[in-house]
Amino acid sequence: MNKLFFGDNLDVLREHLADESVDLIYLDPPFNSAANYNQLFKEVGGQPSEAQVEIFRDTWTWGEVAEASFDDVMAAGGDLAVLMRALRSVLHQTPMMAYLTMMTSRLHELRRVLKANGSLFLHCDPSASHYLKIVLDQLFGPDCFRNEIVWRRSTGKSLMSRRLPTNHDIVFFYAGRDAVWNVDNAFIPYDEANLPVKTARKYSHKDADGRRFRLDSLINPNLDRPNLTYEFLGVTRVWRWTRERMQAAYEAGIVIQTGPGRVPALKRYLDEQRGLAIDDVWMDIPPLNSQAAERLGYPTQKPLALLERIISLTSKPGDLVLDPFCGCGTTVEAAESLGREWIGIDVAHYAISLIEARLQANHPQAQYSVDGRPTTFDGARELARRDKHQFQMWAAWRLGAQSYRETRKGPDRGIDGRIQFKNGAYGWGQIIISVKGGENVGVSAVRDLRGVIEREEAEMGVLVTLNEPTRQMVSEAAAAGFVSRSAHGRLPRLQIVTAEEIVGGAMPSLPPIPQPVHAAVRRPRKGRKTSSAQIEMLLPIGDGKAPKRVENEVVDPRFMDLTG
């Protein structure tokens, strides 16, 4: 069952997941945690807020997609439609209403695929949690509400000028009446260096080896037990245990008498207890700082411990776990580690390839499939129609790009991906990839790429087009000639390849491209992206200049060290 889906989770849920087929759902959708939350309530014509994940930059604005989602909710009818109509009358066509509308349409589908005895955890922040709680109550019923969990996701923020710092996220927990609840996993082991005062007082004794313990009574509260009334160590009482059990415990050293004539007591060791019961405020799982070994540089990455706690509490081995906004795959890895089946869905190709690299590094034996990547020309054309940015990343990925633009921000300067290769005695070589997902691409695209090749001092360039190139385009590409300094024979300096050729396996003529390896990669500092300059640490080192540092590009996750 393990599967990654590349695509819109709403479409995937409707087309691929059956009713009541999932045991546990965790979702961590974009919720603008880095934005000024007041901007969420501005009208469409006002200043828009920045999305937390760039791939959702245009999602939370009212438009055709939001209107279609609202119509879907209205078509579902019932009290949910009444609720959404009332919210729209108050919030109007604001980004917040667009966000709630698209979240509601997805939550409606998630309710359909969740088993009656399943559990759902929705991770959000205070900017929209109050609205989402109303939607969740309507969909799942107030009786299914279990907890509003507060997770402290950041620390050390200074006091702000007009309000207190916001350092926490909200995780709503809903579950069916017969949902799995592993109570043995609802405890945190005691940390003897930071024991609660009450616990430290209770476990005030220590053995010679330093083990903390307390003394518990062995007196039976029921005094009418003749069969348990006997003398032990010179003391006659009604005991909890039989004489034989008391003697065995005494010989094992867990029943002691602190002085002659004193009542024997039971030694109960601190390290044998369950620990502290987990409550609804989680401060023991720290956020991922810039030096965290598991940090991948993904903007919304959550700690593995957070997902392991959720999954271990509310599912059992073999259960199916679904994350419809799987991002960098923390839920996927936690489910794989704990022996659960899993499904991950994400609309970003970068996320899917990052999860694959993460699984390869940490769980090389994991068995799974990927659905949604174009395998036919029709599929490639549909991806280009749906999201040209994702089409560009997919095409660059198929060609073997080691770095590409991560976001839509700023001009691409004619570069959608780069390939660095070892060019023999000439040192490093560079191939520029430019992807055009439009229906009408002309000779100007070839001329532009030729200019980029010269500007970047690159050896080669590849232009990917959705449709067949025109005769003029082919002629212009041929006019670029061949690579002047090549250790790999005669290579065209500028080539054109179509999406149909890519899915069919007909690739351009390229020099040998280094294969992904797991090597030591310097992890980016907080607030900085990994640059393609780091590729030099992943490829065989030779003479010649190393690749240039390129801003706003990230190394393909296949070439990153994800082992921590």
Side-chain angles (χ1 to χ4, degrees):
M1 173 58 77
N2 296 343
K3 183 170 285 192
L4 291 173
F5 285 96
F6 168 42
D8 189 315
N9 52 26
L10 187 60
D11 296 333
V12 173
L13 290 168
R14 288 172 173 171
E15 297 171 10
H16 296 278
L17 272 70
D19 295 357
E20 297 192 25
S21 58
V22 176
D23 298 285
L24 171 61
I25 297 172
Y26 169 85
L27 64 157
D28 178 23
F31 44 85
N32 292 11
S33 66
N36 180 343
Y37 298 131
N38 291 332
Q39 293 181 356
L40 289 167
F41 294 91
K42 291 189 175 181
E43 294 293 340
V44 174
Q47 180 67 31
S49 59
E50 290 289 330
Q52 181 185 14
V53 180
E54 182 61 28
I55 56 174
F56 294 101
R57 182 176 177 82
D58 298 322
T59 300
W60 315 133
T61 57
W62 197 270
E64 182 179 342
V65 176
E67 193 68 55
S69 295
F70 187 81
D71 288 345
D72 287 344
V73 176
M74 291 301 102
D79 291 340
L80 183 63
V82 175
L83 171 63
M84 294 307 292
R85 189 180 296 113
L87 286 173
R88 185 172 180 178
S89 68
V90 174
L91 297 176
H92 310 294
Q93 285 88 335
T94 55
M96 175 59 83
M97 189 61 207
Y99 174 80
L100 290 173
T101 298
M102 283 187 255
M103 281 301 304
T104 300
S105 62
R106 285 155 175 78
L107 287 168
H108 185 262
E109 288 298 320
L110 292 172
R111 178 67 184 90
R112 176 185 63 82
V113 305
L114 185 65
K115 292 180 180 178
N117 62 346
S119 298
L120 177 138
F121 290 81
L122 171 59
H123 197 134
C124 57
D125 79 339
S127 67
S129 60
H130 44 300
Y131 291 118
L132 290 171
K133 175 67 164 59
I134 298 173
V135 174
L136 289 168
D137 279 347
Q138 185 58 58
L139 280 167
F140 294 90
D143 292 343
C144 289
F145 173 69
R146 293 291 179 265
N147 286 105
E148 178 181 344
I149 300 165
V150 175
W151 174 56
R152 186 171 185 177
R153 60 170 166 77
S154 62
T155 58
K157 287 186 178 180
S158 58
L159 188 64
M160 308 183 79
S161 60
R162 296 182 180 274
R163 64 181 177 89
L164 298 174
T166 304
N167 288 333
H168 76 279
D169 285 353
I170 299 295
V171 182
F172 288 122
F173 171 28
Y174 283 74
R177 184 179 61 182
D178 299 321
V180 173
W181 180 249
N182 299 314
V183 67
D184 289 341
N185 295 327
F187 295 87
I188 306 169
Y190 286 115
D191 177 6
E192 292 203 33
N194 296 286
L195 282 179
V197 174
K198 185 177 180 180
T199 304
R201 288 175 179 169
K202 186 179 294 185
Y203 290 86
S204 58
H205 306 281
K206 285 188 178 182
D207 268 347
D209 58 1
R211 291 181 69 191
R212 281 182 174 268
F213 67 90
R214 74 182 191 189
L215 295 176
D216 280 1
S217 173
L218 287 168
I219 305 299
N220 198 317
N222 185 358
L223 300 181
D224 187 19
R225 297 295 300 272
N227 61 321
L228 295 177
T229 303
Y230 54 88
E231 179 185 339
F232 188 75
L233 298 179
V235 179
T236 301
R237 292 288 190 277
V238 181
W239 305 104
R240 287 180 178 272
W241 298 342
T242 63
R243 184 187 295 274
E244 292 75 18
R245 185 178 177 185
M246 285 282 282
Q247 185 63 36
Y250 177 70
E251 293 173 0
I254 61 173
V255 170
I256 64 171
Q257 189 178 38
T258 58
R262 292 187 177 180
V263 179
L266 172 66
K267 293 173 68 174
R268 195 177 297 278
Y269 286 99
L270 177 67
D271 58 16
E272 293 177 350
Q273 308 312 305
R274 282 177 164 180
L276 290 171
I278 298 172
D279 59 22
D280 60 0
V281 179
W282 294 0
M283 299 179 63
D284 61 304
I285 300 178
L288 296 179
N289 59 41
S290 59
Q291 304 302 315
E294 67 183 84
R295 185 177 177 86
L296 304 177
Y298 200 83
T300 59
Q301 183 178 355
K302 300 301 184 292
L304 190 62
L306 182 69
L307 273 301
E308 287 178 337
R309 173 174 293 178
I310 289 172
I311 292 172
S312 63
L313 272 174
T314 57
S315 69
K316 58 185 183 297
D319 280 354
L320 178 58
V321 178
L322 166 65
D323 187 342
F325 295 90
C326 62
C328 64
T330 302
T331 303
V332 167
E333 182 174 355
E336 181 68 29
S337 299
L338 295 171
R340 274 61 166 175
E341 300 291 315
W342 51 263
I343 294 175
I345 310 171
D346 206 280
V347 74
H349 190 269
Y350 176 80
I352 299 300
S353 59
L354 180 57
I355 295 171
E356 288 186 278
R358 185 173 185 175
L359 288 172
Q360 180 185 354
N362 300 333
H363 300 277
Q365 304 304 317
Q367 300 293 316
Y368 64 94
S369 60
V370 181
D371 190 287
R373 279 186 180 140
T375 57
T376 65
F377 175 59
D378 288 342
R381 183 164 52 193
E382 172 58 23
L383 177 59
R385 183 200 65 77
R386 187 175 75 238
D387 192 324
K388 285 186 172 57
H389 178 65
Q390 296 300 328
F391 174 77
Q392 291 165 357
M393 295 184 73
W394 166 78
W397 177 84
R398 282 298 301 264
L399 289 177
Q402 298 142 346
S403 65
Y404 37 69
R405 297 179 66 226
E406 183 186 22
T407 72
R408 297 178 175 86
K409 289 182 179 179
D412 61 16
R413 305 179 73 235
I415 303 172
D416 294 307
R418 297 177 189 258
I419 299 174
Q420 311 284 352
F421 66 96
K422 189 66 178 65
N423 197 18
Y426 300 110
W428 290 98
Q430 182 179 192
I431 304 169
I432 303 296
I433 300 173
S434 178
V435 183
K436 303 298 180 183
E439 295 286 346
N440 300 313
V441 179
V443 69
S444 62
V446 183
R447 292 170 180 160
D448 290 344
L449 178 56
R450 188 170 179 179
V452 174
I453 294 172
E454 295 172 356
R455 183 192 73 212
E456 298 292 315
E457 299 179 355
E459 279 65 30
M460 301 176 64
V462 178
L463 176 64
V464 180
T465 62
L466 186 61
N467 297 320
E468 288 291 329
T470 65
R471 187 174 301 177
Q472 278 185 304
M473 293 171 66
V474 174
S475 297
E476 187 71 22
F482 297 90
V483 177
S484 59
R485 299 192 306 168
S486 173
H488 304 286
R490 194 173 183 180
L491 294 170
R493 194 177 184 208
L494 199 159
Q495 299 174 70
I496 304 174
V497 62
T498 66
E500 187 170 15
E501 289 172 330
I502 288 178
V503 296
M507 307 296 278
S509 298
L510 300 175
I513 299 174
Q515 295 301 303
V517 294
H518 294 298
V521 180
R522 183 175 64 251
R523 296 188 182 277
R525 294 180 182 176
K526 190 173 182 179
R528 293 178 59 186
K529 293 180 175 143
T530 306
S531 76
S532 62
Q534 294 178 2
I535 294 177
E536 65 177 309
M537 292 182 283
L538 301 173
L539 309 181
I541 301 300
D543 297 330
K545 63 182 181 180
K548 296 179 179 179
R549 178 181 177 85
V550 183
E551 298 297 335
N552 299 322
E553 292 188 13
V554 294
V555 176
D556 187 287
R558 295 170 298 164
F559 291 83
M560 296 173 64
D561 172 31
L562 306 180
T563 61

